[in-house]
Amino acid sequence: MAAPGENLRINSDRLWDSLMEMAKIGPGIAGGNNRQTVTDEDGEGRHLFKRWCEAAGLEMGVDEMGTMFARREGTDPSLPPVYVGSHLDTQPTGGKYDGVLGVLGGLEVVRSLNDLGIKTKHPIVVTNWTNEEGSRFAPAMMASGVFAGVLDQADVYAHTDKAGKKFGEELERIGWKGTEKVGDRKIHAFFELHIEQGPILEDEDIDIGVVTHGQGLKWLQVTLTGKEAHTGSTPMPKRRNAGLGMARVIELVHEIAMDYQPDAVGAVGHMEVFPNSRNIIAGRTVFTIDIRSPEKEVLDAMDGRIREGIDTICEALDIQYKIEQVGAFDPVTFDAGCVKAIRDAAERLGYSHRNLVSGAGHDACWINRVAPTAMVMCPCVDGLSHNEAEEISKEWASAGADVLFHAVVETAVIVE
Ligand code: HGY
Ligand code: MN
Ligand code: MN
């Protein structure tokens, strides 16, 4: 006799159609998406998600960070719900699936439960965490960080984007600042489905990543101050070139990351040059160093070496520097029970699977601090993400959502 829910599968066509529908909101310029956090496009995507949740009979709650919680009642409403979700905001040149697959995969779990008339003891809450990407407003995983008590709400409300707009004001402007106090909700368990954003699953032809750990991260924003001067008439020895300083620091970050292979990574993706004129030596540069490792000791060693290196580079070039840590979290070990639920689901459904350490940060990394949490990953084409060409197959999306379905329902307990 099959165990309760043994053959549960989501509706693959409906999930894929919803992904394609959401992808129409905040289109990019090369087939992906530009639905950055608390922009009008983000607001539009939220409204679509809300409509779909209400059509599925869910009750929507929104907290003061704009995070959306769509609740399917359990037979025992007093029990803490099982949460399932991810984020709908994208990078400026993002893909259609990063984050979105996890939110709409969670919605598909609920839609499938409705189709099958299945009740669960624990309520289930489909979640859209605000500002996971941290691109427009640092840091990444902002709302889940406030929820987990590691980021201060008043502080992040004041964070500004390049145009000087404040996060809190933008959230209010798009009409998605809710009234719920952030972090009050009790979570029985949290599951996040996400694309791998790396090449391992596809290279090894494996359907499911059972995410046991997430690597740690540090974002160091560096401001170098030299002196603007004429690029033609200023003798080389007299230059205080902040642009040269930035170039040397970028090289340094790469070299240090290469010293800790095969796992450590380091790069500078955000760079600003002032005044950014062809014939003026850069007087000021502002850029963000992104270093990551599964090992805290390595992360700290890289941090220390980079700070020393910046000091040496700036002394040699006679420029000043300021280093601000604008994002950080330690390596994460996900909950063994939740990880097992995901592995057992992949096994039961006959999907190939392997353990995985997440290279990217996710809301699950913060929620893991306040509730048992785990992630399930699916492959993506060429391991490519944070690129408009990000692509997955319908089969990969369905396999990931099937596993999510089983893990969520098993944890929420089916009621006959
Ligand atoms: O930066 C990250 O790892 C995530 O994509 N926000
Ligand atoms: Mn993501
Ligand atoms: Mn991302």
Side-chain angles (χ1 to χ4, degrees), residues 22 25-26 33-37 39 41-42 88-90 100:
M22 182 60 75
I25 298 177
N33 274 111
N34 178 4
R35 196 172 54 242
Q36 296 181 66
T37 192
T39 57
E41 293 77 14
D42 181 20
L88 290 174
D89 68 299
T90 75
V100 185

Side-chain angles (χ1 to χ4, degrees), residues 87 98-99 132-133 194 362:
H87 62 92
D98 173 358
E132 188 280 340
E133 291 294 357
H194 207 286
H362 303 284

